Amino acid sequence: MITLKSPKEIEAMRGAGRIARLVLEEVGRRIQPGMTTADVDAFAAECIRKHGAKSAFLGYRKYPCHICISVNDEVVHGLAGDRRVEFGDIVSLDVGVYHNGFVGDTAKTVAVGGCSLEAQRLMDVTEKSLAEGIAQARAGNQVVDISRAVQRCVESHGFSVVREFVGHGVGRSVHEEPQVPNFVDKKPSPKLRAGMTIAIEPMVNAGKPQVEMLNDGWTVVTKDGGLSAHFEHTVLITESEPEILTCAQKIATGSKPE
Ligand code: MF3
Ligand code: CO
Ligand code: CO
């Protein structure tokens, strides 16, 4: 069942989304060559606590970390540990928090210090594909309209979308209906309606789309060893424009830039 959120619930989702994004940006700014991924996770835990929220991932299906940290060929669900990130690595950071009973879920890939042109292009295209997907997140469209926009953007730039993991409804739980794939499939696709809140999250590989799981039971890596990037926003479907709930900054209604 796809739940529609009431205005009150949407207000709570805005709060959770904002905190998730603030944490993501703080962690993204802090990450430096030489830090271990455990250092990064500990810093994230501190940020989440500081904002009065809780990790939505820690303990979820026994996931052992506060945020997901996935380096280079790691696609998603990397585990924090004693690996040190190096100059030139790209790191996908995925933050999910609970606040006032609701979840904000957002991700981005950042370079550590700097990166190759190809890595930057992969990150740019992945972020662009997220924007294209969000633009289709409108009442009256179907979920597959989002999927198609993401896939087109990614493949037109010569990259590939991961099939095994998908975006999702989000609200009181991290994962709700519907599934939001980053590719077109033949399954019936639900209609988007105002009040739905969904996480759109393209996972994009520089090479082939295939992935495999490491023996730790969590870390997903590209089969061909190529780089992977991941960007995600929690989005509200409205009667008009989609609203990105995982924005750190919101301009108060009526205010104007100076
Ligand atoms: N990263 C996933 C998402 O955005 C959720 C992670 S679940 C966890 O939907 F258990 F791995 F943390
Ligand atoms: Co996420
Ligand atoms: Co998600």
Side-chain angles (χ1 to χ4, degrees):
M1 199 192 54
I2 302 176
T3 62
L4 299 183
K5 275 73 178 181
S6 69
K8 236 181 152 171
E9 292 172 323
I10 289 166
E11 204 42 44
M13 294 275 306
R14 288 193 181 104
R18 184 167 185 279
I19 293 172
R21 193 70 199 185
L22 285 170
V23 170
L24 179 62
E25 313 245 303
E26 284 173 64
V27 175
R29 277 196 300 274
R30 172 60 70 101
I31 193 162
Q32 297 292 333
M35 280 174 92
T36 66
T37 52
D39 294 334
V40 177
D41 192 65
F43 179 74
E46 181 53 28
C47 291
I48 293 169
R49 195 201 55 76
K50 200 181 68 196
H51 288 290
K54 280 216 156 93
S55 166
F57 296 163
L58 182 68
Y60 179 82
R61 298 189 185 172
K62 302 204 176 130
Y63 186 75
C65 309
H66 296 83
I67 65 169
C68 299
I69 305 169
S70 309
V71 185
N72 292 337
D73 62 320
E74 296 174 358
V75 179
V76 285
H77 305 163
L79 296 182
D82 52 18
R83 174 177 188 167
R84 286 184 195 280
V85 295
E86 293 171 23
F87 183 92
D89 285 345
I90 61 167
V91 182
S92 296
L93 303 165
D94 191 343
V95 174
V97 302
Y98 280 115
H99 187 259
N100 286 340
F102 286 87
V103 175
D105 186 11
T106 184
K108 68 173 175 178
T109 305
V110 298
V112 182
C115 67
S116 69
L117 201 56
E118 179 67 355
Q120 187 62 55
R121 208 171 70 83
L122 174 67
M123 293 190 286
D124 289 347
V125 167
T126 307
E127 190 168 19
K128 174 84 163 25
S129 75
L130 171 58
E132 304 269 328
I134 292 171
Q136 295 300 319
R138 306 179 70 98
N141 275 2
Q142 289 174 287
V143 170
V144 71
D145 293 310
I146 299 172
S147 311
R148 186 182 305 105
V150 170
Q151 183 173 23
R152 268 200 190 144
C153 177
V154 169
E155 293 181 352
S156 73
H157 289 88
F159 298 135
S160 61
V161 293
V162 170
R163 307 298 202 269
E164 285 82 353
F165 298 87
V166 295
H168 50 91
V170 54
R172 290 187 189 273
S173 320
V174 182
H175 293 144
E176 298 184 349
E177 286 179 44
Q179 294 201 348
V180 184
N182 299 300
F183 55 96
V184 176
D185 59 18
K186 293 200 179 101
K187 294 183 195 159
S189 182
K191 212 173 199 178
L192 295 167
R193 294 179 58 195
M196 285 174 57
T197 47
I198 56 174
I200 306 176
E201 50 177 315
M203 287 146 268
V204 175
N205 294 351
K208 298 223 156 63
Q210 284 77 23
V211 298
E212 58 193 22
M213 188 174 307
L214 296 187
N215 287 333
D216 63 20
W218 279 105
T219 312
V220 177
V221 298
T222 59
K223 218 167 207 167
D224 63 11
L227 294 176
S228 191
H230 180 208
F231 282 77
E232 174 177 31
H233 273 304
T234 298
V235 175
L236 168 70
I237 313 298
T238 78
E239 293 296 350
S240 56
E241 297 291 310
E243 179 180 332
I244 299 173
L245 297 173
T246 39
C247 264
Q249 299 288 335
K250 282 204 188 78
I251 295 165
T253 326
S255 78
K256 289 199 190 105
E258 313 232 332

